[in-house]
Amino acid sequence: MRAVIAPEPGGPEALVLAELPEPTAGPGEVVIDVTATAVNRADTMQRRGLYPPPPGASQILGLECSGVVGAVGPGVEGWATGDEGCALLAGGGYAEKVLVPSGQVMPVPVGVDLVSAGALPEVACTVWSNVFMIAGLQREETLLVHGGAGGIGTFAIQLAHALGARVIATAGSPEKLELCRSLGADVAVSYREQDFVEEVRTATDGAGADVILDNMGAKYLPRNVEALALEGRLVVIGMQGGSKVELDLGLLMRRRGAVIATSLRARPPAEKAAICASVVEHVWPLVADGSVRTLVHTTLPLEKVAEAHRAMEAGDHTGKIVVTT
Ligand SMILES: NC(=O)c1ccc[n+]([C@@H]2O[C@H](COP(=O)([O-])OP(=O)(O)OC[C@H]3O[C@@H](n4cnc5c(N)ncnc54)[C@H](OP(=O)(O)O)[C@@H]3O)[C@@H](O)[C@H]2O)c1
């Protein structure tokens, strides 16, 4: 089968479309004939040699996919050859076939085409698990989403809005700020021209944000803690602004706040399966009724995967960059 690997660390040109052996399904596993996958920041970091796959995971890039079940291993229930689905992967999505534990395969939500579904698992599972399962965002609470126009951000704004929370989003250009508003953000803040701490205080009558979904890491940690409400929960899921910083714990203590940092990829299959089941139960109905949709910026074929990585690293995109096999 054709599959994309990064044998030597480097730029997008380091990606190699190789001919590799097809996987076979073991107990509890299915093989998916991949229709589409999507680019994640983790893929670009893996390509650069900065984010090796977890032990036992495929060297083939790709953390999500959609497609048709091509083979089912012993003991798998609920999936049969020919079923359409989409899956959260530890790796292996940039290929014509991928092996995945059956608990990480989800049905395609009603009304979503199979290509767009390839861009759903990573954003849906990341946003649902972090903002709702871990940080417990409630109706009427305020969520601050950094990078509101990106793949994760566009999904987080829509989901929180659909579930009755107030949303403040940051973005880097007037067009992206407008997109955040159109998706349901009550307030959109330019991270280039405005101070988000001040804007959050103004928008919440001084109370602060109950939950913050952060992609910046070190660069924003002290200011995120300042922007938290009493008993606020800050969830760090990215380190685009570095990983090391000094924090005044007194400030966090006065807020009685929590700082949580998580990575979805490294979680064991049983935890991923629990997240997928919860996503299917709580998120898919909102996708099916149109309250939350996948924003696909562009779709490129597997041969142009380097172009897809260049597009993500250029940062001009909104939503997801999809790659079809
Ligand atoms: N921990 C996990 O399990 C997990 C899972 C999935 C993703 N992630 C992380 O989540 C983050 C977003 O992923 P993605 O797929 O949505 O990537 P993406 O589409 O490339 O989005 C990146 C976002 O970063 C924003 N950004 C850049 N500089 C910023 C700044 N100074 N302040 C605020 N925002 C800034 C960009 O905003 P503009 O475009 O407006 O400039 C863009 O919205 C990444 O860091 C990724 O690694 C983590």
Side-chain angles (χ1 to χ4, degrees):
M1 66 172 184
R2 295 178 318 143
V4 176
I5 50 175
E8 299 295 333
E13 68 289 344
L15 295 170
V16 173
L17 184 54
E19 207 43 61
L20 294 178
E22 291 183 5
T24 47
E29 295 174 327
V30 303
V31 172
I32 297 181
D33 295 337
V34 177
T35 299
T37 182
V39 182
N40 284 283
R41 292 230 153 215
D43 307 339
T44 63
M45 283 163 59
Q46 181 174 338
R47 191 205 68 220
R48 288 194 279 148
L50 303 175
Y51 190 45
S58 170
Q59 293 301 310
I60 301 167
L61 283 83
L63 299 177
E64 57 190 330
C65 77
S66 60
V68 177
V69 174
V72 175
V76 170
E77 285 175 14
W79 292 102
T81 310
D83 288 347
E84 289 187 349
C86 55
L88 182 68
L89 309 170
Y94 290 17
E96 287 174 325
K97 289 175 186 284
V98 65
L99 190 62
V100 56
S102 62
Q104 290 166 221
V105 189
M106 298 173 280
V108 174
V110 174
V112 177
D113 64 274
L114 197 54
V115 169
S116 305
L120 264 176
E122 187 66 26
V123 289
C125 292
T126 300
V127 172
W128 179 253
S129 63
N130 284 295
V131 176
F132 293 90
M133 295 173 79
I134 294 175
L137 182 72
Q138 303 292 316
R139 295 185 79 80
E140 315 287 334
E141 282 194 328
T142 299
L143 170 70
L144 169 62
V145 183
H146 287 299
I152 295 285
T154 50
F155 201 87
I157 292 172
Q158 296 179 84
L159 189 57
H161 175 71
L163 291 171
R166 200 152 181 265
V167 183
I168 303 173
T170 63
S173 73
E175 296 74 26
K176 290 182 177 184
L177 290 165
E178 190 43 46
L179 173 69
C180 293
R181 285 187 206 97
S182 74
L183 294 173
D186 301 278
V187 179
V189 179
S190 163
Y191 67 72
R192 295 186 201 281
E193 289 167 9
Q194 291 172 287
D195 173 5
F196 73 80
V197 179
E198 212 173 286
E199 297 305 320
V200 167
R201 294 265 157 231
T202 307
T204 57
D205 295 329
D210 301 290
V211 174
I212 300 177
L213 184 63
D214 174 69
N215 57 327
M216 296 306 292
K219 186 173 175 189
Y220 279 5
L221 183 65
R223 288 161 73 209
N224 274 335
V225 171
E226 263 188 72
L228 276 182
L230 264 187
E231 302 190 347
R233 292 84 74 198
L234 162 62
V235 195
V236 180
I237 61 163
M239 294 181 289
Q240 288 170 234
S243 63
K244 290 190 183 163
V245 65
E246 198 163 288
L247 175 68
D248 176 359
L249 282 171
L251 185 61
L252 187 63
M253 214 178 263
R254 285 194 290 282
R255 298 275 192 278
R256 304 195 296 276
V259 180
I260 304 149
T262 74
S263 160
L264 186 57
R265 186 181 198 182
R267 293 211 202 189
E271 284 185 29
K272 286 185 184 159
I275 291 169
C276 288
S278 190
V279 162
V280 171
E281 182 183 349
H282 299 284
V283 181
W284 270 199
L286 297 167
V287 177
D289 76 13
S291 313
V292 178
R293 60 196 172 90
T294 341
L295 269 86
V296 174
H297 178 77
T298 185
T299 303
L300 292 162
L302 202 57
E303 302 74 48
K304 294 196 173 170
V305 67
E307 199 178 305
H309 272 220
R310 264 181 219 110
M312 168 152 275
E313 288 175 319
D316 296 330
H317 65 288
T318 50
K320 296 283 290 186
I321 297 165
V322 170
V323 175
T324 54
T325 55

